[in-house]
């Protein structure tokens, strides 16, 4: 059974679908053929704005992990041979600091149903028993309900090809910016990343490949959500930085 066809979930999904289609109709006199695209972007931004507290908790958890990293490394060095003692000392440290190794994880998990619901609007051909008209819309000649891969297999490739190509290229650009801007500096004395870790750092580019296989509407959603994440995380790190506002140490004489 499709989870999104369960009546309570289908009702919520249908309400969200009604909002985005009404928004598309409202902006059509101004946006023209891009009305559906504008509606997708606006809905995505509104949902991500509502989930801002999740981003705050994640950034705070990042700074907590960085602050505790030296103490955790010291515990590992002193008690690494005794796993039970190491675990006990580690939990004692977290209790003393009034935090948890899972700080930031629960809010992150809590947002998954919301994100999944919004994503379903842009991927399901049927919502609450009726056709998803949004996926039948075209943006500059590109059908929102067709993937880039699906488009290349059709007879009319070129009318919307550049729209798909632009979206995929922008996702790649945002991913590159994310890797450079959001990479956290390693604590002093940390070992240099190994080949395996370096390879994993390129994992976010899988998003570009994934976006090529989903409907264009979902690819636009992925682009908007990824761009929001970059801006949100960079802004929150600056605002919540515990070192922000502290005077710089005076030079020694």
């Amino acid at each position: 059974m499709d989870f999104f066809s369960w009546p309570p979930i289908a009702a919520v999904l249908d309400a969200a679908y009604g909002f985005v289609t009404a928004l598309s109709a409202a902006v059509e006199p101004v946006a023209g053929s891009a009305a559906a695209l504008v509606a997708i972007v606006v809905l995505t931004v509104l949902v991500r704005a509502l989930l801002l507290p999740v981003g705050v908790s994640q950034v705070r958890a990042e700074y907590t992990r960085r602050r505790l990293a030296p103490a955790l490394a010291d515990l590992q060095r002193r008690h690494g041979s005794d796993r039970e003692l190491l675990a006990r000392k580690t939990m004692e440290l977290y209790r003393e600091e009034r935090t948890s190794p899972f700080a930031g994880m629960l809010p992150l998990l809590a947002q998954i149903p919301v994100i999944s619901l919004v994503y379903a609007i842009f991927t399901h051909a049927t919502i609450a028993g009726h056709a998803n008209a949004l996926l039948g819309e075209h943006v500059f000649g590109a059908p929102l309900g067709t993937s880039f891969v699906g488009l290349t297999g059709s007879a009319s490739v070129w009318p919307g090809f550049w729209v798909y190509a632009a979206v995929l290229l922008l996702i790649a650009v945002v991913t590159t910016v994310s890797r450079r801007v959001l990479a956290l500096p390693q604590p002093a004395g940390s070992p240099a990343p190994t080949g395996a870790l370096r390879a994993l750092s390129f994992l976010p580019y899988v998003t570009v490949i994934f976006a090529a296989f989903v409907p264009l509407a979902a690819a636009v959603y992925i682009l908007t959500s990824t761009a929001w994440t970059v801006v949100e995380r960079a802004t929150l790190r600056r605002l919540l930085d515990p070192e922000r506002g502290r005077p710089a140490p005076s030079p020694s004489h």
Side-chain angles (χ1 to χ4, degrees), residues 89-160:
K89 292 292 185 180
T90 300
M91 294 311 298
E92 287 176 1
L93 173 64
Y94 280 113
R95 281 196 296 271
E96 289 172 1
E97 297 292 335
R98 296 183 180 180
T99 186
S100 161
F102 307 107
M105 287 297 296
L106 290 179
L108 181 62
L109 293 174
Q111 76 172 346
I112 292 177
V114 179
I115 297 297
S116 300
L117 193 70
V118 176
Y119 181 73
I121 300 173
F122 308 131
T123 55
H124 280 54
T126 303
I127 293 178
H130 60 78
N132 185 345
L134 181 68
L135 298 185
E137 297 287 338
H138 286 65
V139 175
F140 304 120
L144 286 175
T146 304
S147 69
F148 178 75
V149 173
L151 181 73
T152 56
S154 67
S156 56
V157 174
W158 294 110

Side-chain angles (χ1 to χ4, degrees), residues 38-232:
V38 171
I40 293 170
V41 172
V42 170
L43 176 65
T44 305
V45 168
L46 288 176
V47 171
R48 292 304 307 269
L50 290 174
L51 294 173
L52 188 59
V54 175
V56 172
S57 69
Q58 288 181 285
V59 170
R60 284 177 173 165
E62 283 178 0
Y63 280 122
T64 298
R65 286 192 293 270
R66 289 176 61 186
R67 178 169 55 83
L68 296 182
L72 291 171
D74 182 59
L75 289 176
Q76 178 68 40
R77 185 174 59 254
R78 288 190 289 132
H79 308 298
S81 58
D82 188 337
R83 309 305 297 179
E84 184 178 345
L85 179 59
L86 175 62
R88 187 167 67 250
K89 292 292 185 180
T90 300
M91 294 311 298
E92 287 176 1
L93 173 64
Y94 280 113
R95 281 196 296 271
E96 289 172 1
E97 297 292 335
R98 296 183 180 180
T99 186
S100 161
F102 307 107
M105 287 297 296
L106 290 179
L108 181 62
L109 293 174
Q111 76 172 346
I112 292 177
V114 179
I115 297 297
S116 300
L117 193 70
V118 176
Y119 181 73
I121 300 173
F122 308 131
T123 55
H124 280 54
T126 303
I127 293 178
H130 60 78
N132 185 345
L134 181 68
L135 298 185
E137 297 287 338
H138 286 65
V139 175
F140 304 120
L144 286 175
T146 304
S147 69
F148 178 75
V149 173
L151 181 73
T152 56
S154 67
S156 56
V157 174
W158 294 110
F161 174 83
W162 295 111
V163 177
Y164 286 85
V167 170
L168 294 179
L169 177 61
L170 287 172
I171 292 175
V173 170
V174 171
T175 300
T176 301
V177 172
S178 175
R179 290 180 67 247
R180 295 181 178 179
V181 174
L182 302 188
L184 289 171
Q186 295 298 315
S190 298
T194 63
L197 289 177
R198 282 186 175 183
L200 287 175
S201 71
F202 288 91
L203 194 59
Y205 285 106
V206 173
T207 303
V208 182
I209 300 173
F210 176 77
F213 286 85
V214 300
L216 177 60
V220 172
Y221 163 75
I222 291 171
L223 169 61
T224 308
S225 187
T226 305
W228 174 279
T229 298
V230 174
V231 175
E232 175 192 89

Side-chain angles (χ1 to χ4, degrees), residues 230-248:
V230 174
V231 175
E232 175 192 89
R233 193 61 55 87
T235 303
L236 290 178
R237 282 180 178 174
R238 184 168 61 252
L239 294 177
L240 300 177
D241 188 347
E243 300 296 323
R244 183 172 179 263
R246 292 185 182 180

